[in-house]
Amino acid sequence: MANKPDYPFDRLEYGETIEVVPGIHWIRMPLPFALNHINLWLIADGDGWTIIDTGYNTDETRQVWEKIFDDLLDDKPVKRIIVTHFHPDHVSLAGWLLEKWDAPVWMTYSEWMQAQLNRYGGPTADIDARMEFYIEHGMEQSGIDGYRETRPDFSKIILPLPTGFRRMIDGEKFPIGDHNWRVITGAGHSPEHAALWCKDLNVLISGDQVLPRISTNVSLQCNEPDGNPLRLYLDSLEKFRDLPKDAFILPSHDRPFYGLHDRIDALGEHHADRLDAAVEACAEPKTSRELIPFLFKRELDRHQLGFAIGEAMAHANYLVADGRLSKAHDEDGLIRYSQVQ
Ligand SMILES: [Zn+2]
């Protein structure tokens, strides 16, 4: 991808914080994955603080939070916990923070519901259906075994969530401290991801929807086999084009950056290239599993294979909806995609 983000800050150490905009503190928390960190934000909110995203439920994350509460809060309470989306690195400590601060959790409706479902075992309970879905799309047994072994059990990782929440709606504006913020929802990575835009500060908290270097994971899910998450994702990206070119972007991974519009262009080109590669590969019918080497040039470990097949299926379904590929359930039980002549 050709864009070169402009990073005004050096990388932080885990648990280190820095005020990147007056009143907005950047926190870098560890993650126990190949993607080894997540950025969280602490915003001065009048007589208290608002937290954006909670981190992954590990002892280390909780210890870092405790240290931040001791060192940074100036004896003011956390008044609100905003969660951009349901993924465990963002939501899993929401219940813990709420219990600690008695502060409401703000989320969009779909993200809230999905978090509740995961918390009560959804993806763990439907793991057999999920595996069958991957097998239909050509995943080999070692990939299936790898997925089963490496998939975290969200019902254990996400701590109990409160039974009520404050719903955020697309376009809604609300103040945090002295400034108004607007909710910009997006889909494709998760069902109703909330990004937050502050015109006064010229700052976008982009969550996982826009990341400076890695491309956001967009995967087809087994509960929506004919879905088109890549279309949803690309349409969602376009919503950020209305923001100024010099907006300062605070993403959930990597570092705060400038260069939003170049990044949107680069992501569009990246997916267009992958879509073309998938069409070319389907001159002979291919399963989504067989498409992976055409879409990902690097070696993938077993954990990454699960993400990769999700992405391959998302690209293939996009092309079916676009009329460039057709999808057939073959007699051997596999789903294959072919060029439309
Ligand atoms: Zn995410």
Side-chain angles (χ1 to χ4, degrees), residues 85 87 90 189 208:
H85 65 296
H87 288 157
H90 300 259
H189 174 67
D208 278 352

Side-chain angles (χ1 to χ4, degrees), residues 13 18 46 51 78 86 90 120 132 140 147-148 150 157-158 168 228 249 260 282 298 303:
E13 297 301 323
I18 187 170
I51 286 173
V78 172
F86 81 93
H90 300 259
Y120 294 106
E132 250 168 62
E140 64 275 30
Y147 190 89
R148 275 188 195 274
T150 58
I157 290 156
I158 301 176
M168 290 190 293
N228 191 353
I249 313 303
L260 172 66
C282 289
R298 62 199 157 85
H303 181 65

Side-chain angles (χ1 to χ4, degrees), residues 110-157:
S110 309
E111 300 294 341
W112 163 258
M113 288 301 285
Q114 191 69 49
Q116 291 286 359
L117 186 68
N118 283 11
R119 161 77 194 134
Y120 294 106
T124 313
D126 74 3
I127 191 142
D128 290 337
R130 193 170 281 267
M131 296 304 103
E132 250 168 62
F133 181 60
Y134 284 172
I135 289 167
E136 269 189 330
H137 280 275
M139 182 73 103
E140 64 275 30
Q141 193 57 45
S142 63
I144 298 290
D145 294 344
Y147 190 89
R148 275 188 195 274
E149 283 163 28
T150 58
R151 183 172 177 79
D153 182 350
F154 291 156
S155 65
K156 296 204 173 68
I157 290 156

Side-chain angles (χ1 to χ4, degrees), residues 197-303:
W197 163 242
C198 180
K199 192 168 172 235
D200 292 355
L201 296 170
N202 203 27
V203 166
L204 174 72
I205 294 176
S206 63
D208 278 352
Q209 284 292 92
V210 187
L211 302 173
R213 243 186 306 223
I214 50 177
S215 75
T216 299
N217 179 263
V218 177
S219 284
L220 189 71
Q221 302 294 335
C222 73
N223 51 3
E224 208 186 341
D226 295 319
N228 191 353
L230 184 55
R231 172 85 275 158
L232 294 172
Y233 177 70
L234 293 173
D235 287 351
S236 302
L237 269 188
E238 289 304 313
K239 288 169 87 172
F240 297 123
R241 271 202 203 274
D242 297 339
L243 305 185
K245 283 207 158 76
D246 62 353
F248 189 32
I249 313 303
L250 308 184
S252 292
H253 306 285
D254 205 349
R255 281 182 280 159
F257 72 103
Y258 292 101
L260 172 66
H261 288 241
D262 287 350
R263 186 59 186 152
I264 295 170
D265 290 342
L267 285 165
E269 282 164 27
H270 164 76
H271 286 294
D273 287 349
R274 278 193 176 175
L275 290 165
D276 288 345
V279 172
E280 207 173 300
C282 289
E284 294 293 324
K286 295 260 178 330
T287 64
S288 292
R289 174 64 185 93
E290 289 165 338
L291 282 176
I292 290 176
F294 296 90
L295 304 184
F296 296 89
K297 298 298 174 202
R298 62 199 157 85
E299 278 293 307
L300 301 170
D301 66 27
R302 298 201 306 172
H303 181 65

Side-chain angles (χ1 to χ4, degrees), residues 14 30-38 89 208 211 214 252-254:
Y14 295 137
L31 289 181
F33 308 114
L35 179 60
N36 60 12
H37 71 280
I38 178 170
D89 45 340
D208 278 352
L211 302 173
I214 50 177
S252 292
H253 306 285
D254 205 349

